[in-house]
Amino acid sequence: MTSKKVKWSWSSALIGAASATAVTALLNAKPKDPTFHLISISFTSFKLNLPVLDADLLLTVHVTNPNITSIHYSSTSMSIFYDGSLLGSAQVEAGSQPARSCKLLRLQARLDGLQLAHHASKFFSDVAKRQMLLDAKVDIEGAAKVLWWDHKFKVHVDSHITVDPVFLDVIDQENKSQLDVFVA
């Protein structure tokens, strides 16, 4: 039996250890839910549709992507509810966001005055209290590229926002997001 002497190489050992560490870190990196915060609401226009008034708004939303990879997402629509009824919607344009970054999105929204008129007594009560509770829901779909693979994802966001209906100041908000990553 012949025995071969194996030559030890520190550089090969270090490269192997570094590669194993990098692969382990990538495999163990768990996707984290993005965060969403409504920063401001402002009126952009009013449209008179007798006997009610429709309103166009600009919503400024702060979005944080805490993940180690950039994301690309498709356009979608956010539904805005008041007292359980659909009050309007805001368009989310398709886009992307770098890894571990924050971004401000400006969303055009339209509120239906007729729907608000159906809740007139509650609305006037909220104006008197200067607190109005709105709910918003959105599903955002996209892909995150890790190494050579695109991983599709879907984020569902539920927001409960208290605003001052007179000055449109955001008083309080609770945002919950649920991230689902699809491995294909």
Side-chain angles (χ1 to χ4, degrees):
M1 184 179 206
T2 18
S3 68
K4 284 189 166 185
K5 195 169 192 174
V6 178
K7 199 169 203 176
W8 180 258
S9 168
W10 279 103
S11 60
S12 293
L14 287 174
I15 291 171
S19 298
T21 302
V23 168
T24 301
L26 281 174
L27 292 176
N28 288 332
K30 294 187 183 198
K32 297 173 186 79
D33 290 350
T35 58
F36 302 86
H37 292 285
L38 179 62
I39 303 298
S40 67
I41 304 170
S42 56
F43 280 112
T44 56
S45 70
F46 293 105
K47 293 185 176 64
L48 183 60
N49 289 332
L50 292 173
V52 294
L53 190 69
D54 291 339
D56 288 337
L57 305 172
L58 182 65
L59 309 175
T60 303
V61 179
H62 182 261
V63 182
T64 302
N65 175 13
N67 295 293
I68 62 171
T69 183
S70 62
I71 58 171
H72 302 278
Y73 51 89
S74 58
S75 62
T76 189
S77 180
M78 174 176 43
S79 300
I80 302 168
F81 298 90
Y82 176 65
D83 198 30
S85 297
L86 182 64
L87 181 60
S89 63
Q91 291 306 121
V92 179
E93 299 298 324
S96 64
Q97 185 163 346
R100 294 188 175 141
S101 67
C102 299
K103 185 177 187 178
L104 287 178
L105 297 179
R106 288 177 174 69
L107 309 177
Q108 295 290 328
R110 171 160 290 164
L111 301 183
D112 183 355
L114 183 59
Q115 285 301 322
L116 195 56
H118 289 304
H119 301 279
S121 62
K122 175 149 178 51
F123 176 71
F124 289 121
S125 171
D126 288 349
V127 169
K129 290 186 299 186
R130 299 210 32 206
Q131 286 192 3
M132 179 178 182
L133 181 62
L134 298 172
D135 293 310
K137 297 181 185 307
V138 65
D139 289 310
I140 301 170
E141 295 181 4
K145 190 169 201 142
V146 178
L147 296 177
W148 300 276
W149 299 284
D150 279 340
H151 295 281
K152 293 187 180 199
F153 68 85
K154 181 177 180 179
V155 177
H156 177 79
V157 181
D158 284 313
S159 299
H160 305 288
I161 304 155
T162 305
V163 299
D164 177 343
V166 176
F167 294 111
L168 295 180
D169 293 330
V170 178
I171 298 169
D172 190 28
Q173 63 185 299
E174 179 184 345
N175 300 295
K176 294 180 183 175
S177 60
Q178 173 64 44
L179 173 67
D180 293 317
V181 178
F182 305 105
V183 181

